[in-house]
Amino acid sequence: MEVVIWGATPLGEYLAKNMVHGGADVKPSAFVDNNPEVQNTWIETIPIISYGELKRRDLKETTILLAVKSARNIFRILGQLEKIQMANIGVVKAKVMFSGMLVDPYEKKGEVVWSKFRGKAYRIVPRIEVNLIDACNLKCKGCTHFSSIYGQDSSYPVEDYKKDLLQLRKVGHLLRLRLLGGEPFLLENLDKYIMIAREIFPETDIEVVTNGLLIPDIERQIFSALKSGDVSVVISPYPPTLKRKGKIMERLNQYGVIWHFDGEEITRFARSLTLEGGHNPEVSSANCLSAACTFLRKGKLYKCPYEGLINDFNAYYGLEKTDDSGVSVYQDKNILYRKIVDYALKPVSRCKYCKEEPEYFYWSVKANPALADWLCEDKASIDDNKVVSTTNE
């Protein structure tokens, strides 16, 4: 049985070198990628082919492993693969690369979430994000989660959080759960949130996303929950964070927690928010850094944090409340799954309030935020082509 990797990505390259079965190395026969710029090239000795070329092959005994992280891309690729008969289709967990894991492409061992495995079909939910607390200790200017307008009393009630996750478990196999803020490590009972998530989603790739500044000083029980729950820590490399990088790494390593810094130093942010609803939602959604970041809040799912948090933002600045949006998690699981797919692939009404091309500005801290911090100007304040993104993928 051959293995094909979909995604000429760093994760795909890692996977090609770290697949094993029965004590022996497994090498892929090809990479597949929808990007025409990389098709008909090679990664070492492995060819990169197109979807059209893949379809021309006999795939009845083939396993396809998706080495992509974007929910939008995962749904698009799974849609393409539905038209082809093959043995197994799986999505590789993002954590395998930075945790040094080996992947067995022929067994159900946890490194892969299977959409199809040995004749059985499964429903995948690629990614859900949830703010455990809206407040943050860093207070970045123009934060996409509006964190600097919230106080310490903005945590997700534990019982509500548990009930909402239990509802989501009915929808399908959740590939990736990102526990965000604000700043999650502001919560003294963060360990409780972590263990609830792991109990409900025993096979999901769970991440705590943080600016990392509080890690050297947090309590031991939180590290224990991260370790025992097999939960990764994803650190956003802000300038103040990098000044404490040594202490952060030392503390995480002390307790054997899996961690990684997400990209290079963050020096710029993006904004697209406007007060006028006259923008092209298709274009805005296609260019959005937060597109397909399906966001859980107060028993509802939203396309992105902007959509889920905008009414709090409007109330803070005395603006008119927008129409109620989002979709309740307390409804038929098939309807909810269809909505999750739509969120990844299509714009929502809120998208017309976002500029078609995001504007970029230099990262800074601002404790007393002004409305203008989030709104687009007539002209981008710095060169759009020299942007380092935040933690969005």
Side-chain angles (χ1 to χ4, degrees):
M1 182 181 289
E2 72 169 335
V3 178
V4 173
I5 297 173
W6 193 308
T9 63
L11 177 58
E13 292 187 45
Y14 174 88
L15 184 60
K17 298 175 182 177
N18 291 278
M19 290 191 296
V20 295
H21 180 67
D25 291 342
V26 177
K27 295 299 179 185
S29 62
F31 287 93
V32 184
D33 205 289
N34 283 326
N35 181 2
E37 294 183 3
V38 301
Q39 293 166 4
N40 301 314
T41 62
W42 300 71
I43 294 178
E44 295 187 354
T45 60
I46 305 169
I48 304 174
I49 65 175
S50 67
Y51 170 62
E53 185 174 342
L54 178 72
K55 289 195 297 182
R56 290 191 287 271
R57 297 186 173 197
D58 182 359
L59 300 169
K60 292 180 182 178
E61 298 299 320
T62 298
T63 292
I64 294 241
L65 296 179
L66 278 62
V68 297
K69 295 191 287 184
S70 160
R72 179 160 51 189
N73 288 339
I74 289 171
F75 278 131
R76 284 174 176 169
I77 294 167
L78 291 178
Q80 290 174 280
L81 293 177
E82 284 178 359
K83 304 169 185 177
I84 304 175
Q85 185 179 358
M86 61 186 59
N88 306 315
I89 302 170
V91 184
V92 180
K93 293 182 178 179
K95 71 180 291 183
V96 303
M97 185 169 67
F98 57 81
S99 60
M101 296 170 66
L102 299 176
V103 175
D104 189 328
Y106 303 127
E107 298 295 336
K108 213 171 182 185
K109 291 187 175 180
E111 302 91 358
V112 179
V113 174
W114 295 99
S115 174
K116 182 180 180 182
F117 190 75
R118 295 178 182 170
K120 293 185 178 180
Y122 304 91
R123 199 155 60 183
I124 289 180
V125 176
R127 168 178 175 152
I128 298 290
E129 298 190 345
V130 53
N131 276 10
L132 301 184
I133 183 171
D134 297 317
C136 185
N137 57 318
L138 192 52
K139 300 187 184 303
C140 300
K141 176 182 175 181
C143 170
T144 55
H145 286 213
F146 307 129
S147 293
S148 50
I149 72 172
Y150 291 99
Q152 186 66 29
D153 60 349
S154 59
S155 62
Y156 207 140
V158 171
E159 290 306 314
D160 293 345
Y161 164 79
K162 183 176 181 178
K163 284 169 55 181
D164 294 345
L165 291 189
L166 284 168
Q167 283 298 116
L168 282 177
R169 184 174 65 181
K170 302 174 183 178
V171 179
H173 193 138
L174 179 58
L175 173 66
R176 194 172 175 205
L177 177 64
R178 289 166 60 83
L179 307 179
L180 308 161
E183 173 49 53
F185 285 109
L186 283 172
L187 293 166
E188 293 181 358
N189 61 341
L190 178 60
D191 54 317
K192 194 166 187 177
Y193 288 88
I194 290 169
M195 297 315 295
I196 287 171
R198 178 50 74 206
E199 179 184 355
I200 295 172
F201 296 109
E203 298 181 358
T204 293
D205 196 353
I206 302 176
E207 304 169 339
V208 173
V209 183
T210 173
N211 61 47
L213 292 170
L214 301 176
I215 287 176
D217 305 311
I218 61 174
E219 296 297 326
R220 179 173 184 167
Q221 75 267 15
I222 295 178
F223 290 112
S224 297
L226 290 165
K227 172 66 174 175
S228 63
D230 190 28
V231 172
S232 307
V233 174
V234 179
I235 306 162
S236 303
Y238 295 102
T241 302
L242 295 178
K243 291 179 181 179
R244 304 198 77 188
K245 185 174 182 178
K247 292 182 178 179
I248 292 168
M249 293 190 298
E250 180 183 359
R251 190 80 162 137
L252 292 168
N253 290 336
Q254 178 185 351
Y255 290 94
V257 175
I258 298 172
W259 59 270
H260 76 283
F261 280 81
D262 190 15
E264 302 298 322
E265 180 179 5
I266 294 172
T267 59
R268 296 173 172 91
F269 264 17
R271 62 185 168 209
S272 57
L273 190 64
T274 70
L275 298 181
E276 301 78 32
H279 299 282
N280 186 322
E282 295 282 350
V283 177
S284 296
S285 179
N287 293 333
C288 180
L289 295 175
S290 296
C293 295
T294 309
F295 186 70
L296 171 65
R297 184 171 182 79
K298 297 180 180 179
K300 284 188 169 186
L301 289 179
Y302 299 87
K303 180 174 176 63
C304 68
Y306 269 168
E307 188 189 26
L309 299 166
I310 194 64
N311 281 330
D312 289 351
F313 176 82
N314 288 345
Y316 185 87
Y317 287 108
L319 302 173
E320 184 179 352
K321 181 179 178 180
T322 59
D323 293 336
D324 194 26
S325 57
V327 56
S328 172
V329 299
Y330 295 90
Q331 63 173 296
D332 180 83
K333 62 184 180 181
N334 297 311
I335 295 174
L336 189 57
Y337 178 74
R338 187 65 251 170
K339 189 63 178 179
I340 291 171
V341 176
D342 286 346
Y343 275 150
L345 299 177
K346 301 176 183 179
V348 294
S349 177
R350 180 73 232 166
C351 295
K352 67 185 179 183
Y353 289 91
C354 287
K355 195 173 179 181
E356 288 85 350
E357 293 291 336
E359 293 180 358
Y360 300 94
F361 58 97
Y362 291 109
W363 175 87
S364 65
V365 170
K366 190 173 182 183
N368 298 306
L371 176 61
D373 295 342
W374 282 279
L375 299 181
C376 284
E377 302 172 1
D378 292 335
K379 185 178 180 181
S381 54
I382 61 174
D383 185 355
D384 287 2
N385 296 318
K386 298 180 180 178
V387 174
V388 179
S389 70
T390 62
T391 56
N392 296 308
E393 300 167 356

